[in-house]
């Protein structure tokens, strides 16, 4: 099992450019999440998807869109990047079975917006 | 609004010592609490998950306790090793069906060889 995977690992954008961060999990989890992590601010939830076909806003959704493509994949899109979106982005998933309600994280995407 | 606090923000201890990390939360109506570790430049690794009906969970040298009524959880690390150096975060889930975890800002632990 690869767990939660994210691409790309690093990205540099110019203000106004767009990009999509990709996330996939192979644990058959229902719920998936996107967080950003900033120094002094901790982890903040951007969007989450409780099941395939549903998405909901988290604490800081402005400037982002998401797509739950299927049960495995959950993407985060920045339509017009701004310097304030410079951050480390983490995808996570939660499921059932022996790890019921336990949240697992991907390795992160380090994004710089110039 | 739930707030999660971890004090101190940083802690240094000599190798071999036992230590306790603290996590406090303002709303005791939680579904579960999870402890993570994060190494520099890496993602979060789940350490222990405690359901609201449980008092503690153990994994190897780690023991996490939960006292809902006082809004506190502790992570006990026995016989600390340099490899334990990392940032430790706790997160609470408010209730079943609510997907929004609230995270503390973490305690950065350094084990001195």
């Amino acid at each position: 099992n690869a767990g939660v995977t994210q691409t790309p690992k690093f990205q540099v954008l110019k203000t106004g450019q767009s990009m999509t961060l990709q996330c996939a999990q192979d644990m058959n989890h229902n719920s998936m999440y996107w967080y950003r992590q900033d120094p002094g601010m901790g982890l903040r939830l951007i969007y989450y998807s409780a099941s395939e076909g549903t998405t909901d806003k988290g604490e800081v959704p402005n400037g982002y869109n998401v797509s739950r493509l299927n049960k495995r994949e959950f993407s985060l899109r920045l339509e017009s990047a701004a310097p304030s979106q410079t951050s480390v982005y983490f995808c996570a998933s939660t499921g059932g079975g022996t790890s019921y309600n336990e949240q697992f994280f991907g390795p992160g995407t380090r994004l710089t917006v110039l | 609004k739930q707030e999660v606090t971890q004090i101190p923000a940083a802690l240094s201890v000599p190798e071999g010592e036992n230590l306790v990390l603290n996590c406090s939360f303002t709303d005791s109506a939680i579904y579960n609490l999870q402890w993570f570790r994060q190494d520099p430049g890496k993602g979060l690794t789940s350490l222990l998950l405690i359901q609201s009906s449980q008092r503690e969970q153990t994994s190897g040298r780690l023991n996490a306790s939960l006292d809902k009524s006082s809004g506190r959880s502790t992570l006990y690390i026995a016989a600390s090793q340099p490899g334990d150096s990392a940032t430790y975060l706790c997160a609470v889930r408010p209730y079943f069906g609510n997907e929004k975890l609230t995270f503390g800002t973490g305690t950065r632990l350094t084990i001195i060889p």
Side-chain angles (χ1 to χ4, degrees):
Chain A
N1 279 356
V4 181
T5 57
Q6 293 182 235
T7 56
K9 285 186 169 54
F10 301 92
Q11 184 71 49
V12 178
L13 293 178
K14 294 180 180 178
T15 297
Q17 288 185 317
S18 62
M19 78 162 295
T20 300
L21 282 65
Q22 306 287 352
C23 173
Q25 51 89 11
D26 62 0
M27 297 174 283
N28 200 35
H29 285 171
N30 288 321
S31 303
M32 297 185 72
Y33 313 79
W34 278 104
Y35 294 91
R36 60 179 290 173
Q37 186 177 40
D38 303 287
M41 301 292 290
L43 274 155
R44 293 181 291 170
L45 183 65
I46 304 171
Y47 271 94
Y48 67 97
S49 170
S51 62
E52 187 178 352
T54 68
T55 60
D56 283 288
K57 295 178 181 179
E59 185 182 353
V60 287
N62 292 344
Y64 305 95
N65 286 301
V66 291
S67 295
R68 183 73 182 268
L69 305 170
N70 48 54
K71 191 170 186 179
R72 289 188 64 248
E73 298 172 290
F74 188 37
S75 63
L76 178 72
R77 183 161 177 83
L78 287 70
E79 291 290 352
S80 179
S84 61
Q85 294 178 305
T86 293
S87 187
V88 181
Y89 291 86
F90 290 103
C91 178
S93 69
T94 302
T98 57
S99 61
Y100 188 69
N101 283 328
E102 192 171 0
Q103 192 151 120
F104 295 89
F105 279 75
T109 295
R110 281 147 187 81
L111 175 67
T112 301
V113 183
L114 302 175
Chain B
K1 179 185 173 185
Q2 177 75 272
E3 292 183 2
V4 180
T5 304
Q6 294 183 250
I7 295 173
L11 179 66
S12 294
V13 301
E15 180 179 0
E17 284 198 2
N18 304 324
L19 60 100
V20 173
L21 304 178
N22 298 301
C23 173
S24 299
F25 45 95
T26 55
D27 187 345
S28 62
I30 66 169
Y31 184 69
N32 62 36
L33 184 145
Q34 194 168 352
W35 281 94
F36 298 87
R37 72 172 277 167
Q38 184 175 28
D39 294 288
K42 305 292 185 184
L44 280 69
T45 300
S46 178
L47 296 174
L48 290 164
L49 173 70
I50 309 178
Q51 303 293 350
S52 61
S53 58
Q54 298 174 318
R55 295 300 299 266
E56 65 178 42
Q57 281 281 8
T58 298
S59 176
R61 294 184 294 109
L62 305 180
N63 177 278
S65 68
L66 175 64
D67 184 343
K68 275 181 48 178
S69 61
S70 66
R72 292 189 65 226
S73 176
T74 61
L75 179 67
Y76 174 84
I77 302 177
S80 58
Q81 303 170 358
D84 295 328
S85 297
T87 297
Y88 291 80
L89 298 99
C90 64
V92 299
R93 185 175 181 186
Y95 54 85
F96 180 75
N98 186 316
E99 302 288 332
K100 299 180 183 180
L101 273 68
T102 302
F103 284 80
T105 51
T107 295
R108 188 173 69 253
L109 175 65
T110 302
I111 305 300
I112 305 164

